Amino acid sequence: MRAVVYQETGPSSVLQVVERDLPEPGPGEVRVRVVRSGVNPTDWKFRAGMMAGHDEVVPGQDGAGVVDAVGEGVTAYAVGDRVWLVLAQHGRPYGTAADYTVQPVDRVASLADAASYDLGASLGVPAVTAHRALTAAEDGPHRLGPGTLAGRVVLVAGGAGAVGNAAIQLARWSGATVITTVSSDAKAALARAAGAHHVVNYRESDATEEIRTIAPDGVDIAVEVAPAQNIGIDLDVVKVHGLVSIYANNGGDELTMPLRAAFGKNLRFQFLILYTLHPHLVQAAVEDLNAAVAAGALRVGADAGVPLHHYPLELTAAAHDAVEGGAVGKVLLEVAAD
């Protein structure tokens, strides 16, 4: 089978397309014929300098395809089942940038017949992150679905990003009023396509003032991609007992804030990364995401605010470069025909 590998960290040129033996699933594992592989920022970051002790790595946390073989004791899946994958390369050397991947069943989820492989490979890291960002408030909700965020106001920073887009769609599905911030008219159009009720271009107006005008009582949840830059806005607009969910460090690695402002509002700050997230939280996200997909509430493509960028497996290096360069939308590897 074909596999994209790297044996040392460095620029995208360390990636090679090689032939490897077809892996066999062990007990509790399934083999998946990969149709699409999702590329995320962590893929190029791991490749650039965080190889984590493996002699050879096949990158790719996310993917979608068809179960090709099942190991001993597996009853949840059968050959021919359509599936999507989550955290496929976490703690393991072999991810989804290959014709086949072997995964434990707890990293496999059913993919609805009506859902495309593009959508399946776009869930994983972005959508599970968005789910956790929306469910970390002290008083909940701890699951998402119709009505669970009714009466809440959610602020999504960077609504044109992959996590931002998923947060908008999931919050809208769950009944929230959604405000998002963007940096251009083109990104504003994507955020509106995702379903945001209000879009604030922070380059053209005072974001705090505009958000306060839209939500004079404040917002309940801020989904934050750039805390070093936006903490002042968050402290001003998040209401008492509100939640600031921080999932990235865009715009700076150091966060400085006036503590009294946070104390005074009894704010909750949730820092999150999937790789150390409790397994039951990942499972809850997977179940809710599948419900959203089944309801048609979680989509990809330009009409959903997520332009898709397809690369053949042989151009995985170019796909990594595109993500590292800030491609707007979702970068996918076309591993096989649908």
Side-chain angles (χ1 to χ4, degrees):
M1 69 169 193
R2 297 174 304 161
V4 175
V5 304
Y6 59 93
Q7 297 171 339
E8 60 181 346
T9 59
S12 62
S13 58
V14 301
L15 295 168
Q16 309 171 59
V17 181
V18 300
E19 288 290 328
R20 290 290 181 264
D21 292 338
L22 190 65
E24 295 297 330
E29 296 180 330
V30 300
R31 185 173 68 208
V32 175
R33 178 177 64 83
V34 180
V35 177
R36 295 287 187 275
S37 174
V39 184
N40 294 294
T42 50
D43 294 323
W44 72 258
K45 291 176 181 178
F46 287 161
R47 183 216 73 224
M50 297 185 291
M51 194 168 176
H54 302 300
D55 293 332
E56 178 176 272
V57 171
V58 174
Q61 301 288 354
D62 298 341
V66 180
V67 174
D68 172 75
V70 297
E72 181 183 351
V74 173
T75 58
Y77 300 99
V79 173
D81 286 351
R82 304 171 80 248
V83 296
W84 60 279
L85 305 174
V86 58
L87 297 175
Q89 200 253 304
H90 174 51
R92 300 163 58 84
Y94 300 120
T96 61
D99 287 325
Y100 295 86
T101 185
V102 167
Q103 296 294 327
V105 292
D106 61 359
R107 301 193 184 185
V108 181
S110 296
L111 180 64
D113 289 341
S116 68
Y117 292 111
D118 283 348
L119 175 56
S122 301
L123 296 173
V125 169
V128 175
T129 298
H131 183 279
R132 180 56 183 156
L134 294 169
T135 57
E138 183 174 3
D139 58 350
H142 304 301
R143 300 293 294 265
L144 298 180
T148 56
L149 287 172
R152 309 284 183 97
V153 180
V154 173
L155 170 64
V156 178
V163 175
N165 175 277
I168 291 171
Q169 293 194 64
L170 290 171
R172 181 71 187 260
W173 175 56
S174 299
T177 296
V178 183
I179 306 169
T180 188
T181 56
V182 297
S183 60
S184 70
D185 290 342
K187 290 182 177 180
L190 294 176
R192 291 190 182 94
H197 295 91
H198 306 278
V199 181
V200 176
N201 186 331
Y202 62 82
R203 296 191 187 280
E204 295 182 350
S205 64
D206 183 316
T208 298
E209 182 178 339
E210 194 164 345
I211 294 166
R212 272 296 191 183
T213 299
I214 297 165
D217 294 330
V219 306
D220 296 275
I221 300 170
V223 181
E224 186 56 74
V225 67
Q229 295 177 330
N230 294 339
I231 189 61
I233 297 173
D234 294 331
L235 291 175
D236 282 340
V237 304
V238 177
K239 63 175 56 171
V240 173
H241 301 141
L243 166 69
V244 182
S245 289
I246 297 173
Y247 69 89
N249 60 342
N250 292 7
D253 291 332
E254 300 291 334
L255 172 61
T256 302
M257 65 178 180
L259 293 177
R260 287 185 181 275
F263 289 155
K265 289 187 173 182
N266 273 284
L267 294 183
R268 168 173 287 209
F269 288 83
Q270 176 67 57
F271 293 86
L272 62 103
I273 190 168
L274 296 193
Y275 309 111
T276 53
L277 198 61
H278 286 297
H280 76 275
L281 295 176
V282 176
Q283 183 59 37
V286 167
E287 292 172 5
D288 292 351
L289 296 180
N290 273 348
V293 169
L298 192 54
R299 303 173 297 123
V300 292
D303 63 342
V306 192
L308 299 177
H309 310 280
H310 291 94
Y311 291 79
L313 191 66
E314 290 77 12
L315 294 182
T316 298
H320 274 222
D321 289 342
V323 173
E324 185 173 359
V328 176
K330 185 64 184 179
V331 173
L332 298 169
L333 300 177
E334 284 192 355
V335 184
D338 290 6

